Amino acid sequence: MKKLPKEAFIQDQKLIQQAKSFFLEKLCQELSLLEVQAPILTFQGDGIQDDLNGVEKPVAVQSQTLSRPLEIVQSLAKWKRQLLARSDFDIGTGIVTQMRAIRPDEEALTERHSLYVDQWDWEKVMSTDEASLDYLKETVETLYKAMRATDQLVASAMQREPLLPAEITFIQSEELMKQYPDLSPSQREYRACKEYGAVFIIGIGGELSDGTIHDGRAPDYDDWSSPAEDGYYGLNGDILVWNPVLEDAFELSSMGIRVSPEVMLQQLQIRNCEHRLNYLWHQQLMAGHLPQTIGGGIGQSRLMMFLLQKAHIGQVQFSVWPEELEIPVL
């Protein structure tokens, strides 16, 4: 068993707690969010479960007291929207949770991928008239402002220069594909992050003009099919930054304007998932019982790993790893 240097470990833990608390407070202030408690379980087959890329299998749980099978959540995209409807939140306000999840279908456990997911899952009510690329960009810039403020806090504590540039650069996934047609999506992200430092790649999940997609996205939470501008599509995206320790692009957040009933129906048809219309959550949306929202997730351990300049996510969270995997002590 490797020993952890006590003083350095304590110092890191205090800084992580300080940075998390500071970021959450900033996020709530900037986006008018209320922190609420998050569930860890959902009923199987009610449509609340987030299917992510559509291939991940959630962890099943059987209760001795409940007849229906349960699943551990993979994210809370649909649950948040339902809660906002039940609590009748006003336009311009929303919620944030400290979501904990298990994603056993990770293809590989790497320095940035863990079976255990901890993120700030947030959702905000908006009007249907605001569903535009401008509103998406405005929200991204507000979120990025909270990230930069936290970066400056940690930089001062660590006596280093801030890592994040003053501005975040917006790039369409289609535009990135045309700029680097011979590169894979991850290689394109590398180029963009290396050049700009922080980018928001727009249009994740929709088909590009070459027949590929930049990355997977479920058809029933983010809007990746609506026209944006200049012939591009998608009102969602990912925040990625240049990680100087890994010397690679590094994703911190996934977010987007959520599907309207019409957009969800269209995207379910594109993905041949119309059977989901039989789920309770999807019926609620189609009946107009759920508000139009914007939302996403921000990786807690991902952000701490980046800000504290750690080489492995296991240095900022406690999870399980292959025995042969060497995780740096600090």
Side-chain angles (χ1 to χ4, degrees), residues 45 52 56 59 61 68 81 104 116 128 134 168 191 200 220 235 238 273 279 284:
L52 303 174
E56 295 88 348
V59 176
V61 176
R68 293 176 59 190
R81 197 168 176 181
Y116 169 64
T128 55
D134 285 341
I168 187 168
R191 292 289 187 91
F200 184 77
D220 46 10
L235 298 176
D238 292 339
C273 293
Y279 296 155
Q284 290 174 339

Side-chain angles (χ1 to χ4, degrees), residues 10-276:
I10 292 174
Q11 183 178 355
D12 274 358
Q13 294 303 307
K14 288 182 176 180
L15 184 54
I16 288 170
Q17 184 57 44
Q18 181 185 11
K20 283 184 176 181
S21 297
F22 179 86
F23 178 77
L24 180 59
E25 182 178 354
K26 283 289 183 183
L27 192 67
C28 289
Q29 289 175 350
E30 297 291 345
L31 291 177
S32 299
L33 305 177
L34 171 71
E35 184 181 4
V36 301
Q37 298 303 305
I40 189 66
L41 294 169
T42 183
F43 282 111
Q44 191 179 93
D46 62 3
I48 294 293
Q49 181 65 275
D50 191 335
D51 295 282
L52 303 174
N53 295 321
V55 297
E56 295 88 348
K57 295 179 181 178
V59 176
V61 176
Q62 190 64 50
S63 166
Q64 292 187 19
T65 57
L66 296 172
S67 58
R68 293 176 59 190
L70 302 164
E71 294 174 345
I72 295 178
V73 299
Q74 295 192 121
S75 91
L76 298 173
K78 301 184 183 73
W79 176 85
K80 292 177 297 181
R81 197 168 176 181
Q82 188 180 64
L83 180 62
L84 289 171
R86 288 172 52 198
S87 302
D88 197 24
F89 271 66
D90 295 328
I91 290 174
T93 65
I95 58 172
V96 61
T97 75
Q98 300 205 41
M99 193 274 291
R100 303 290 184 263
I102 304 295
R103 296 182 184 170
D105 279 351
E106 286 287 355
E107 294 183 358
L109 299 183
T110 69
E111 74 284 341
R112 68 189 80 183
H113 292 102
S114 171
L115 296 178
Y116 169 64
V117 179
D118 55 343
Q119 66 183 36
W120 291 285
D121 231 329
W122 64 276
E123 200 83 9
K124 182 177 179 178
V125 180
M126 55 183 285
S127 73
T128 55
D129 295 338
E130 291 176 310
S132 67
L133 188 60
D134 285 341
Y135 184 82
L136 175 66
K137 287 182 176 180
E138 178 185 322
T139 306
V140 170
E141 288 172 340
T142 300
L143 196 156
Y144 185 69
K145 179 181 176 182
M147 287 184 176
R148 282 200 69 231
T150 310
D151 179 29
Q152 291 164 353
L153 174 80
V154 176
S156 177
M158 295 180 64
Q159 298 183 327
R160 63 160 174 80
E161 291 297 315
L163 299 172
L164 294 173
E167 305 291 337
I168 187 168
T169 300
F170 294 92
I171 306 174
Q172 291 280 350
S173 55
E174 175 75 18
E175 182 183 10
L176 204 55
M177 183 274 294
K178 290 180 177 178
Q179 187 175 359
Y180 302 110
D182 297 327
L183 299 183
S184 68
S186 61
Q187 290 170 329
R188 296 169 198 159
E189 292 173 354
Y190 176 97
R191 292 289 187 91
C193 290
K194 184 71 182 294
E195 180 176 357
Y196 298 110
V199 299
F200 184 77
I201 300 179
I202 305 167
I204 305 293
E207 186 174 300
L208 303 175
S209 59
D210 65 351
T212 67
I213 60 173
H214 184 85
D215 200 358
R217 202 74 125 234
D220 46 10
Y221 59 100
D222 276 358
D223 181 345
W224 41 255
S225 63
S226 290
E229 62 181 22
D230 300 328
Y232 297 121
Y233 292 85
L235 298 176
N236 72 339
D238 292 339
I239 295 177
L240 298 101
V241 298
W242 177 253
N243 188 317
V245 175
L246 301 182
E247 296 188 332
D248 199 2
F250 195 68
E251 182 182 331
L252 293 178
S253 176
S254 168
M255 59 174 286
I257 292 175
R258 305 309 197 185
V259 291
S260 65
E262 298 78 16
V263 169
M264 183 179 73
L265 180 59
Q266 173 179 282
Q267 293 183 174
L268 289 176
Q269 291 170 343
I270 291 172
R271 293 286 171 82
N272 296 314
C273 293
E274 293 98 324
H275 67 276
R276 295 188 190 180

